[in-house]
Structure formats: C-alpha cells, structure tokens
Amino acid sequence: MASEIAVTVTTRVEAERAVARLILDLVEARRLAGDGCALGLATGGTMVGVYAALVELAVAEGASFEHVATVNLDEYLGLGPEHPQSFAAFMHAHLFGPLAERCGLALERTLVPDGLLAASDPIRAARLVEARIAELGGLDLQLLGIGRNGHLAFNEPGASHRSRTRVVALARATREDAAATFGGLAEVPRRALTMGLGTILDARRLAVLAFGAGKAEAVRTALSGPIDRARPASALRRHRDVSLWLDAEAASRRP
Ligand code: PGA
C-alpha cells in the first residue's frame, strides 16, 4: 500500500526553518502534555542548517529540552566520538553541545550508535539502538536526508525495507561523497552501523529534506516508480506520515 508523501518545494533556508519549527513545536507540545519527547536525528550536510535554525529558535524562545531523548540513525564503523569525522562529533558540534548548554538537553539522553563497539561487537551495538528506541516507546519524529544514490541512513540500494539496525557495507557512491571531508577516499570507512529501513518506518512521523540537483534522481525514486529494494528512498511511500522538503533543484525531476 503506497501512501501520499506531503511535498513542499521552497528555498533551502525556508525548508530548514520549517523543519526546525516543526521539531520545536513537537518538543514544546510534549512538554506541555507532561510527556517525554523522542527524536530520531540525522547527520550530513543537509542537517547543518536545520540544526543551526533549531538552536537559534530554541534559544530565542527559551525552549526546554530537559524532557527530550534522541537516537541517531547511524555511525561509521570504528570511529569513536573523538574522531572529527564521526557522527557523534558532528552531533555534538551542531546540536547537542549548544542545546545542552542553552536549553537543558541531557547528554546522557542522547544516543549516537557506538562506532567502536560496532567494530568489536556489531550485534550488541545494533541491539543497543533498537532497545533504546523500544525503551522510549518508539520515536515521535525521525529526521532524514536522502543520499545521492537514494539511500536512507546507510541503507544502500538492495537493503530490505524491513531491515533492522545492523552493520552494512557502504556503497562506493556514498564513500565518494564522504571522501572530501575525510581527506581522500581511502580514509572513508567501508562499513557503518545503521538503523534499518524497518526501524525508520516504525517512527511515528518522518521529516525528510533534500537539496540540490544531485538529489533530483533520488527524489524521483522516493516519489514515483517501483517501491522495491533497489530504491531505498521508495520505502518512504510505505509510511503514512511523511513530509518531504525540497528546493527547486532537488524537485526538478519530480513527476
Ligand atoms: P548529505 O547526505 O546531507 O551530506 O547530502 C544525505 C545522506 O546521505 O543521507
């Protein structure tokens, strides 16, 4: 059964602000209801502006993140939080550090998959992610980018839409896209721990962003054509509550 994805085409800056607003509204609604709030978070260039907008809004409005818990989608195998290219370091720099300092986010309630444990005990590292999500009662919102090759998190083409958190091999295109930040392709890890597509589809709501012409083909597969393993982004049509924010370039091949 395919569901309709709510698509908004706008400028990148407007999209970043809209998603930041959506997250903050959810965080605040949960606080007012006296409930915890469980956010699924993502990394990558797409998220930098989203997190900057979120911190700016949260600080301006005096928002509290004391009741918020977070779980990240993925991490490179073998990279610990002190590695500058780790997703743990990214999250700390762009979001966790500022929100801990200004808005009461408890760092012990944030979880980025453990890249070091994933290298030595992949089953345990994967179970910790699934168990944390279960303990939180599921994720209220999962934030997502889309890879140039259509991947969601590190679910590369071929991944089952029912897959759970596990260690995977990275596609060549994914490693090439990361090469610049690592200072060369040879430095980019070959494997990663990632939430599965099934894990992602269990989140109650998905907020997805894609910017630039390089994402246009992946966006097309998200919105039209077959829903199958060859196209991880097509799994988005299996979820009932997906909002997708695009700039004009990323939307240019949309049917
Ligand atoms: P990007 O990556 O935000 O760096 O473009 C998106 C992704 O690979 O999911």
Side-chain angles (χ1 to χ4, degrees), residues 85-104:
Q85 263 67 55
S86 70
F87 290 156
F90 176 100
M91 290 309 299
H92 197 84
H94 293 283
L95 194 68
F96 296 160
L99 287 183
E101 193 182 322
R102 312 286 297 275
C103 299

Side-chain angles (χ1 to χ4, degrees), residues 43-47 144-148 151-154 174 177 211 215:
T43 51
T46 307
M47 298 302 151
L144 287 165
I146 304 181
R148 197 163 51 93
H151 72 202
L152 297 179
F154 280 135
T174 297
D177 284 347
F211 305 127
K215 301 289 175 76

Side-chain angles (χ1 to χ4, degrees), residues 48-68:
V48 171
V50 176
Y51 293 152
L54 179 57
V55 169
E56 190 184 320
L57 270 180
V59 169
E61 297 176 13
S64 170
F65 276 66
E66 283 173 19
H67 60 302
V68 173

